[in-house]
Amino acid sequence: MYNLLPTLRKIITAEKNFVEITPLGRNLGSTILKSWLDRANRTVSDEQWGVVTEAIEKCNLPLYVKLVFDEISQWRSYSSVKATTLAHSIHASINKLFDRIEMQHGKVLVARALGYITAAKGGLSEAELEDLLSLDEKVLNDVYQYHLPPVRRIPPLLWTRIRSDLPHYFSEREADGINVIFWYHRQFIEASKERYFRNVNFVSEVHDELAEYFLGTWGGGREKPFIYSELQR
């Protein structure tokens, strides 16, 4: 899709510098998962481990194994088998992860936060993301459903909590002298686009907010007007 490998081969001609990342295999994938569980002081029941081995049998790519670990780390030993299921592909596992994050932190907030990150191809600093979310009427009306705060701005901890529940799935790099974050793997870019950008209105709103923000439409004494939600009237 991104033609990265052909481009790299034109720049780096020595074949020894290329190493193919292959599936781990069921045994190695299981060994890695057990090691990570031990390190995290977590255990799963024999019945739950059966669910894990069945999944690893079907897909054991490194990213998938990491997604499985993050999922089973949420399980409890007393959880029923119905409550301890695993998706059998990377794409489906990412969507399952997004489902859980939306349930924990709110669909509107998560969708807009991840939408801004995905739409900003060069990445966003955490301060920029917080500003964008604080300028987003849908986010503010969702966060402050029943009252108006003294300052219409999202609490900084909201994004911090979301990011802490998406461990190691963002990369940080420097751009124009500031640290920005972006998805560390293209599978997350594709899954996020498919999940959130199917709605044309959503895409338009996200890009409009980004454009207004970086053009400086609001700021420097120019306050963004807002409309009370029905619950705030």
Side-chain angles (χ1 to χ4, degrees):
M1 179 179 178
Y2 295 95
N3 295 316
L4 295 179
L5 184 58
T7 302
L8 281 173
R9 288 191 182 279
K10 291 178 182 178
I11 300 171
I12 305 171
T13 56
E15 192 63 30
K16 66 179 181 180
N17 292 316
F18 293 90
V19 178
E20 182 181 0
I21 299 177
T22 60
L24 297 171
R26 185 190 65 180
N27 292 337
L28 180 55
S30 297
T31 300
I32 290 172
L33 279 173
K34 287 179 179 178
S35 175
W36 285 346
L37 286 169
D38 287 342
R39 193 183 308 170
N41 294 317
R42 301 302 301 262
T43 59
V44 295
S45 68
D46 291 341
E47 197 172 18
Q48 291 169 345
W49 186 250
V51 175
V52 174
T53 54
E54 180 185 351
I56 295 298
E57 183 77 44
K58 295 180 179 179
C59 182
N60 41 69
L61 290 165
L63 178 57
Y64 179 76
V65 173
K66 176 65 172 68
L67 287 161
V68 167
F69 171 71
D70 287 337
E71 179 66 23
I72 65 178
S73 295
Q74 305 295 316
W75 293 357
R76 299 292 181 266
S77 58
Y78 52 79
S79 299
S80 66
V81 173
K82 288 184 179 180
T84 53
T85 60
L86 292 170
H88 292 159
S89 70
I90 290 176
H91 192 81
S93 296
I94 292 173
N95 270 302
K96 189 175 177 65
L97 173 63
F98 287 168
D99 284 339
R100 175 163 58 83
I101 300 302
E102 288 177 2
M103 188 176 299
Q104 290 175 338
H105 302 284
K107 187 170 184 177
V108 173
L109 175 63
V110 172
R112 301 299 266 214
L114 301 187
Y116 286 129
I117 291 171
T118 305
K121 296 181 180 179
L124 291 170
S125 71
E126 299 206 71
E128 289 169 342
L129 180 57
E130 187 182 320
D131 285 344
L132 283 160
L133 293 171
S134 296
L135 287 167
D136 192 315
E137 290 300 318
K138 289 191 175 180
V139 171
L140 290 172
N141 286 334
D142 185 66
V143 172
Y144 300 113
Q145 291 186 36
Y146 305 107
H147 73 286
L148 286 175
V151 178
R152 274 176 64 83
R153 188 172 181 84
I154 67 162
L157 279 177
L158 292 185
W159 164 246
T160 302
R161 289 169 180 162
I162 293 173
R163 185 174 182 182
S164 70
D165 284 334
L166 289 168
H168 315 300
Y169 296 131
F170 293 108
S171 63
E172 290 192 22
R173 63 175 182 266
E174 186 175 313
D176 299 324
I178 61 172
N179 288 329
V180 298
I181 58 172
F182 195 62
W183 296 113
Y184 101 101
H185 199 287
R186 66 178 178 83
Q187 292 269 17
F188 279 87
I189 302 172
E190 293 169 5
S192 183
K193 283 182 176 179
E194 182 180 307
R195 185 182 184 91
Y196 300 118
F197 288 9
R198 286 182 296 180
N199 185 317
V200 177
N201 291 332
F202 180 95
V203 176
S204 177
E205 290 167 359
V206 165
H207 282 99
D208 285 349
E209 293 285 359
L210 282 166
E212 287 184 352
Y213 178 71
F214 286 107
L215 287 171
T217 302
W218 312 114
R222 294 183 300 276
E223 297 182 355
K224 184 178 181 180
F226 70 92
I227 301 173
Y228 289 96
S229 70
E230 290 299 322
L231 293 173
Q232 292 170 338
R233 292 181 187 278

